[in-house]
Amino acid sequence: MMQWAVVLCSMLALSECFISVPLIKGKSARDALEEKGLWEKYRKMYPYNPMVKFTQSYAVGYESMTNDADLSYYGVISIGTPPQSFQVIFDTGSSNLWVPSIYCSSAACTNHARFNPSQSSTFQANNQPLSIQYGTGSMTGFLGYDTVTVSGIQVPHQIFGLSQTEAPFMAHMKADGILGLAYPQLAASNAQPVFDNMVQQGLVQDYFSVYLSSNSQTGSELIFGGYNPNHYTGSLVWIPLSSETYWQITVDSVTINGQVVACSGGCQAIVDTGTSLISGPTSDINNINSWVGATVNNGDAVVNCNNIASMPTLTFNINGNAFTLPASAYIRQSYYYGCRTGFSGSSSSLWILGDVFIRQYYTVFNRANNSVGLAKAV
C-alpha cells in the first residue's frame, strides 16, 4: 500500500503529497530507572541540563545534546539497502541524523539497533569525524552516506552519523538515535538534514507538523509536507520566528490569573520536540512552581496529586495570543514518585517549550515562511 502512496505523490500536485510518520509513546528512561530503583543514583551521576544543546558554539563535527530522561516519543526509520530499522527521536532542537553502529561497543550501543555498513549496497563512507557533546559524556563517531527511508519514502545519498562511543545514559533510552529537524545552519559538519533533502528532491513541501498524544501509546504523528486538522480544533495561529536556526519565537509574558509570573517584558523561546519539559530561567521557574503550590524536593517540584483539579492555569502570551496550560498538562504523575511539575530551571535566559507544551498545542513548523503554527490539540 505504501508503494502506491509513493506513486501517487509523484503523480499528484506537490501540495497534495505528504509523509505521515506514526510516533510511539514509549517508556521513558526515567520510568525504566524508577522501576529498577535506580533513578536517584542515575540523576546524581548524570544531572539534567536542558540548555546544553542551545548554548554551545557549533563547529565542524560538533553537535550538542543532553541527557533528557523523560523523552518518550519516537518513530521508526530505516537506513541502507536492504533497509536496517532504527527508532529515532525526531528532534526540532538539532539538525543531524545519527544512529549507533557496529563499531560501537558502549553499553548504550549493545542494547540498541546498530547500523552495519557492510550489509548495505548503497553505503558510501565519508569518514569525517562527528562528536556530539552531552550534558555528561558524549557520542563520537563518523559520517557516511546512504539511503534513508521514512514511512516508505526514500531519501537517497543522505549524510548521517554512525556512533563509535555513546554516553552511558543512552543505554536507558528507548530510541536508538536522533533525527534533527532544525535549520541546516546548525548541522554539524555542514551535513544536509533529512528534511532539507526531502524538500530539495521534491518529495514534500517545506513544512512539517507534530501531534503528541497525552495518554495513549499510539496516535502521535509527524507529517512531512502536511498537517492533520483532525488533531486540532480552531484555526492555526502563525507565530513568526525571531531567529532562523532553531524554531525560536518571542514570548510576551507568562501569566497566572492575569498576573505576570515569568518572562516579564518578553523572552525568547525555542519550540523543541527533543526536550520533554518546559525550561526557563531558574528564578522564573521557581516563581511559577511557587504560584502553583509546588515544593522542591530532591530536585523535583512536587505537588499533591489530589490538588491538580484546583491548581491554576498557566498562560503563555505569544504574539497577541494566549496559549493556556491547565494543571493536567503541566503536572507529571508517576506511580513511584507521585506528582511533579513539568518545569525545569536553567542558568540561561532562553526558554524551551518542550513536549509538555506541544502535547497541548498541535504544531506546524513552516520553513516556507519561517513561522510556527499553533492550534489547540485534540
Side-chain angles (χ1 to χ4, degrees):
M1 190 67 181
M2 188 55 71
Q3 289 176 325
W4 282 107
V6 177
V7 173
L8 283 171
C9 279
S10 64
M11 294 170 60
L12 293 170
L14 187 60
S15 62
E16 298 179 66
C17 180
F18 60 88
I19 302 171
S20 175
V21 184
L23 299 180
I24 302 165
K25 187 182 182 187
K27 186 179 293 184
S28 70
R30 183 198 288 256
D31 291 336
L33 288 159
E34 286 181 351
E35 287 180 4
K36 298 173 183 176
L38 298 173
W39 171 242
E40 293 305 327
K41 177 182 177 181
Y42 166 94
R43 72 188 303 172
K44 292 174 183 176
M45 291 174 63
Y46 308 111
Y48 175 45
N49 178 6
M51 298 309 305
V52 167
K53 65 180 178 180
F54 302 108
T55 56
Q56 299 287 352
S57 59
Y58 280 74
V60 173
Y62 184 94
E63 178 191 352
S64 298
M65 296 296 293
T66 187
N67 52 327
D68 192 334
D70 291 294
L71 285 172
S72 57
Y73 297 92
Y74 57 89
V76 178
I77 66 168
S78 63
I79 303 175
T81 310
Q84 301 174 43
S85 293
F86 299 91
Q87 297 173 345
V88 296
I89 296 166
F90 288 91
D91 177 21
T92 58
S94 67
S95 297
N96 287 78
L97 167 63
W98 68 267
V99 296
S101 81
I102 59 167
Y103 307 111
C104 178
S105 58
S106 303
C109 295
T110 55
N111 70 352
H112 285 92
R114 291 185 287 179
F115 182 74
N116 187 343
S118 66
Q119 291 184 358
S120 174
S121 62
T122 46
F123 178 78
Q124 291 179 282
N126 174 292
N127 295 325
Q128 187 174 351
L130 177 69
S131 176
I132 300 176
Q133 298 298 320
Y134 291 85
T136 51
S138 65
M139 167 276 199
T140 65
F142 61 96
L143 294 166
Y145 295 89
D146 212 329
T147 298
V148 173
T149 303
V150 182
S151 233
I153 303 296
Q154 294 185 341
V155 186
H157 200 63
Q158 173 64 49
I159 192 168
F160 70 105
L162 296 83
S163 75
Q164 292 172 296
T165 67
E166 290 186 22
F169 73 83
M170 284 295 293
H172 301 286
M173 296 186 73
K174 182 73 174 177
D176 303 308
I178 292 172
L179 191 155
L181 291 168
Y183 279 70
Q185 296 94 304
L186 292 177
S189 306
N190 296 312
Q192 179 88 322
V194 174
F195 179 62
D196 289 79
N197 259 344
M198 286 180 175
V199 173
Q200 287 190 9
Q201 294 177 31
L203 298 173
V204 298
Q205 284 189 288
D206 47 1
Y207 58 90
F208 60 92
S209 58
V210 175
Y211 169 71
L212 300 181
S213 65
S214 297
N215 300 310
S216 174
Q217 291 183 338
T218 60
S220 300
E221 181 181 50
L222 166 67
I223 301 178
F224 290 108
Y227 46 90
N228 188 347
N230 293 327
H231 286 322
Y232 63 86
T233 183
S235 301
L236 287 163
V237 174
W238 294 100
I239 314 297
L241 297 189
S242 54
S243 175
E244 296 163 14
T245 47
Y246 300 107
W247 294 93
Q248 184 171 324
I249 59 176
T250 299
V251 177
D252 304 320
S253 63
V254 179
T255 57
I256 292 178
N257 297 328
Q259 297 291 313
V260 175
V261 296
C263 183
S264 178
C267 55
Q268 293 298 299
I270 291 169
V271 186
D272 181 26
T273 59
T275 298
S276 59
L277 310 180
I278 290 176
S279 177
T282 298
S283 58
D284 277 355
I285 295 300
N286 287 345
N287 197 39
I288 291 174
N289 281 327
S290 177
W291 269 79
V292 303
T295 302
V296 177
N297 180 19
N298 201 19
D300 282 328
V302 180
V303 299
N304 187 323
C305 296
N306 296 324
N307 294 341
I308 294 177
S310 60
M311 291 171 65
T313 294
L314 187 69
T315 300
F316 284 81
N317 301 290
I318 305 172
N319 203 36
N321 299 274
F323 297 93
T324 58
L325 293 180
S328 58
Y330 63 73
I331 297 298
R332 302 173 292 155
Q333 298 192 50
S334 164
Y335 176 81
Y336 297 92
Y337 284 83
C339 291
R340 299 157 296 188
T341 69
F343 309 123
S344 174
S346 78
S347 59
S348 172
S349 62
L350 195 64
W351 286 73
I352 309 173
L353 304 182
D355 293 349
V356 167
F357 183 87
I358 298 170
R359 272 193 292 269
Q360 285 296 109
Y361 290 96
Y362 189 87
T363 308
V364 181
F365 298 85
N366 195 334
R367 286 277 293 278
N369 59 14
N370 299 310
S371 63
V372 171
L374 300 173
K376 184 69 175 65
V378 292

